[in-house]
Amino acid sequence: MVDGARLKVPLEGIWAGSPEMLRVCEAAERVASTDASIMLLGESGTGKELLARAVHRLSAYSNGRFVAINCAAIPDSLLESELFGYEKGAFTDAGQRTRGKIELAHEGTLFLDEIGDLPLSLQAKLLRFLQERTIERVGGRTEIPVNTRILCATHRDLQGMISEASFRQDLYYRLSEITFTIPPLRDRSGEVLLLAKRFLDQYSAELARPLRGFSHQALAALEEYDWPGNVRELENRVRRAVILCDKMEITPQDLELSGAKIPEESFKLRHVRRLAEERAVRKALAYCEGNISRAASLLGVSRPSLYDLMRKLGVT
Ligand SMILES: Nc1ncnc2c1ncn2[C@@H]1O[C@H](COP(=O)(O)OP(=O)(O)OP(=O)(O)O)[C@@H](O)[C@H]1O
Ligand SMILES: [Mg+2]
């Protein structure tokens, strides 16, 4: 853990304790009040939506709504009417005039989540809206002006999609006047343990399960793990552990992280030094093909000391 590192709340709803994450939050705070479109990139569970909501709250559009639409969760055939709305009778089931998400975000923020999943046909329509700032409902003829802040997010490689022509470059530029890449949890110095402790406090209070904390092995396992699901996964694992834990301390098994085999011993300096000594002695002996005098001189100790050391370490 970073020496003296503490968890902070740089933006409402966001906990951060690493310089990497604090930097992103500071930059987001700085641009929140501008009109610039912001593209949030990052792996699943890194906090893209949390950051988008925080930017909305700090923006000039905070009195309006934060309207989110997940482009990956809605079938392509419905996405157009979800985004743009429709007039009565525009298609078979169009019973009454319905406003789309873009219109609902008037004077507020439109958050286009999973923008990399927007089909090409709608990319063209969205681009038109971003250029004209007006929409036409499906089946409608009137141009409706919409004033909204645009934020979007994706875990996809948009540059790669642009080079294979599945994402429009002109749309990309409109959407990403500013881009933030939220680092994955594994790249945030010291943040895993800080967040884990904070989720532990939260859930042991919420679930009325007083606990002493994590065992040494659990702390080691938390640090060792790669966190593909990032903060969302960490939060879920800690929450589940608080529920499952039947002792005062959370173990790697409670976290379902038993894969990380780090004995408690490994933290003790005595143990670390012993391992380092053993490694050096074995290496020296191998290098000198078992010649004790030469190995001793390589290691900078006397022959009798090396014999003692070998006996102590169990090196034969
Ligand atoms: N910095 C953080 N502080 C506190 N909680 C966080 C943080 N980052 C993520 N979380 C938790 O993880 C959950 C997932 O965050 P969010 O929905 O913003 O991720 P995402 O990047 O949009 O993920 P996806 O790509 O899967 O949609 C949040 O609801 C919150 O509970
Ligand atoms: Mg999300």
Side-chain angles (χ1 to χ4, degrees):
M1 198 187 300
V2 180
D3 189 31
R6 266 208 244 115
L7 207 54
K8 302 190 178 110
V9 185
L11 298 172
E12 196 183 327
I14 298 184
W15 293 89
S18 64
E20 295 86 357
M21 193 59 191
L22 288 168
R23 222 174 289 134
V24 171
C25 292
E26 277 160 24
E29 186 173 8
R30 238 177 290 128
V31 299
S33 58
T34 70
D35 267 351
S37 63
I38 302 179
M39 168 91 65
L40 300 164
L41 303 176
E43 291 179 13
S44 178
T46 46
K48 296 185 293 295
E49 180 158 353
L50 281 188
L51 196 64
R53 288 182 184 276
V55 165
H56 167 69
R57 280 191 293 267
L58 291 169
S59 75
Y61 298 86
S62 60
N63 288 329
R65 291 176 56 179
F66 177 88
V67 179
I69 179 163
N70 185 334
C71 302
I74 298 168
D76 289 1
S77 55
L78 299 181
L79 202 48
E80 180 175 8
S81 51
E82 274 289 316
L83 277 169
F84 294 90
Y86 52 86
E87 295 291 341
K88 183 176 175 176
F91 43 86
T92 322
D93 295 328
Q96 57 185 9
R97 167 187 289 174
T98 301
R99 292 194 292 167
K101 298 277 192 188
I102 298 178
E103 223 181 314
L104 292 174
H106 183 54
E107 306 292 349
T109 299
L110 179 67
F111 177 51
L112 298 160
D113 203 0
E114 305 297 356
I115 189 72
D117 290 73
L118 192 70
L120 273 169
S121 59
L122 284 178
Q123 289 179 28
K125 292 199 166 122
L126 180 64
L127 180 65
R128 196 169 154 258
F129 161 63
L130 295 175
Q131 285 162 344
E132 317 281 328
R133 297 288 169 165
T134 61
I135 55 144
E136 272 175 40
R137 299 190 191 113
V138 177
R141 296 241 171 76
T142 339
E143 304 228 317
I144 304 159
V146 177
N147 172 32
T148 178
R149 171 74 173 282
I150 307 285
L151 306 177
C152 62
T154 184
H155 68 278
R156 286 184 188 269
D157 168 22
L158 287 184
Q159 295 297 350
M161 291 180 70
I162 290 169
S163 59
E164 53 187 47
S166 54
F167 201 85
R168 294 180 65 123
Q169 188 156 36
D170 44 8
L171 177 61
Y172 176 80
Y173 287 130
R174 287 269 171 184
L175 291 172
S176 61
E177 285 164 349
I178 291 167
T179 301
F180 291 123
T181 303
I182 307 187
L185 187 53
R186 76 188 82 85
D187 291 345
R188 302 185 199 172
S189 328
E191 205 163 283
V192 171
L193 295 190
L194 292 173
L195 285 173
K197 285 178 180 157
R198 136 87 219 161
F199 288 133
L200 175 66
D201 290 345
Q202 179 187 335
Y203 288 113
S204 58
E206 267 178 33
L207 300 163
R209 299 235 31 211
L211 291 165
R212 209 160 45 223
F214 296 101
S215 70
H216 284 319
Q217 292 96 325
L219 290 175
L222 285 165
E223 284 219 287
E224 185 79 346
Y225 186 61
D226 214 32
W227 299 109
N230 294 291
V231 187
R232 181 187 289 116
E233 181 181 6
L234 175 64
E235 182 172 3
N236 288 343
R237 280 187 191 267
V238 173
R239 186 172 187 278
R240 196 171 49 212
V242 170
I243 295 168
L244 293 177
C245 179
D246 55 4
K247 295 181 209 73
M248 285 307 285
E249 274 191 345
I250 288 184
T251 64
Q253 287 72 32
D254 296 326
L255 291 160
E256 294 180 20
L257 288 177
S258 41
K261 297 182 283 301
I262 300 153
E264 186 167 342
E265 267 282 278
S266 66
F267 280 99
K268 303 273 188 289
L269 277 180
R270 194 169 19 88
H271 179 72
V272 174
R273 286 194 194 112
R274 188 191 165 102
L275 277 182
E277 276 182 352
E278 184 182 331
R279 214 171 294 133
V281 167
R282 286 189 190 280
K283 212 162 128 186
L285 285 170
Y287 190 78
C288 305
E289 293 168 339
N291 184 312
I292 303 284
S293 308
R294 280 175 48 219
S297 96
L298 257 189
L299 290 161
V301 294
S302 67
R303 255 174 68 105
S305 306
L306 180 53
Y307 274 121
D308 281 349
L309 204 53
M310 286 167 65
R311 208 171 310 115
K312 189 181 99 191
L313 297 170
V315 176
T316 49

